[in-house]
Every structure is written in structure tokens, then in C-alpha cells.
Amino acid sequence: MARVLLPVLGLALTIYAVIDCIQTDQEAQRNLPKLFWVVLILLFPPIGAIAWFVAGRPRRGYGDRGRGPGRGRPLGPDDDPDFLRNL
């Protein structure tokens, strides 16, 4: 059972890492350009995927820089004054 499970988990991790890397903005990625990350993940399947999550993926809150609590875009249309004005 474990002989089958480990390669399947490694493949799933690699696929997830490639998709995550491709969908991440170039400016948000750390340490290497997107093309190098994809090649690294695909050439060294489990190690490249783990390296992506540790050293390449954007840190939490990357898109929230400069915003404090209660600032930024409204959460829903009922919280958006411009939307409510147009009703």
C-alpha cells in the first residue's frame, strides 16, 4: 500500500506545484523567474515542488500590503457604497 501511495502523493504534489507556479504573478514570485521555477519543479519532482513552496511561492498577505483592517475593497455588493448608489 505504501509503495503505491508515496509515488501518487509525489505526483500530486508536483502537479499542484506546477499549477500554483503558473498561476502566480511574476512579480509575486520569490528568488527565480517563473520559467526557472517550472523547469525546476518538473526536472526534480518532489524536491522541486517542495523548494517552490518553501522558497518561491509568495508569502502570505502579499496582496494585502499597505492595507489595514477595514480598508481596501468592500467584501460584498451590500457593503459597496458605489453599488448601493446605483440601485
Side-chain angles (χ1 to χ4, degrees):
M1 175 86 172
R3 286 184 132 174
V4 175
L5 189 60
L6 285 176
V8 171
L9 288 176
L11 180 64
L13 180 68
T14 301
I15 291 171
Y16 182 77
V18 167
I19 292 171
D20 187 45
C21 180
I22 290 171
Q23 290 181 343
T24 303
D25 290 336
Q26 180 73 30
E27 297 83 32
Q29 291 180 342
R30 297 183 293 152
N31 299 321
L32 294 173
K34 184 182 287 195
L35 178 64
F36 289 126
W37 276 117
V38 172
V39 170
L40 182 71
I41 293 167
L42 292 174
L43 285 180
F44 305 103
I47 303 301
I50 293 169
W52 162 251
F53 291 116
V54 171
R57 193 168 194 211
R59 296 199 169 136
R60 285 188 186 156
Y62 174 78
D64 296 337
R65 288 185 183 164
R67 292 186 191 170
R71 293 186 207 141
R73 301 196 81 217
L75 298 177
D78 55 335
D79 295 331
D80 187 356
D82 294 329
F83 177 80
L84 293 174
R85 259 184 249 124
N86 292 330
L87 286 178

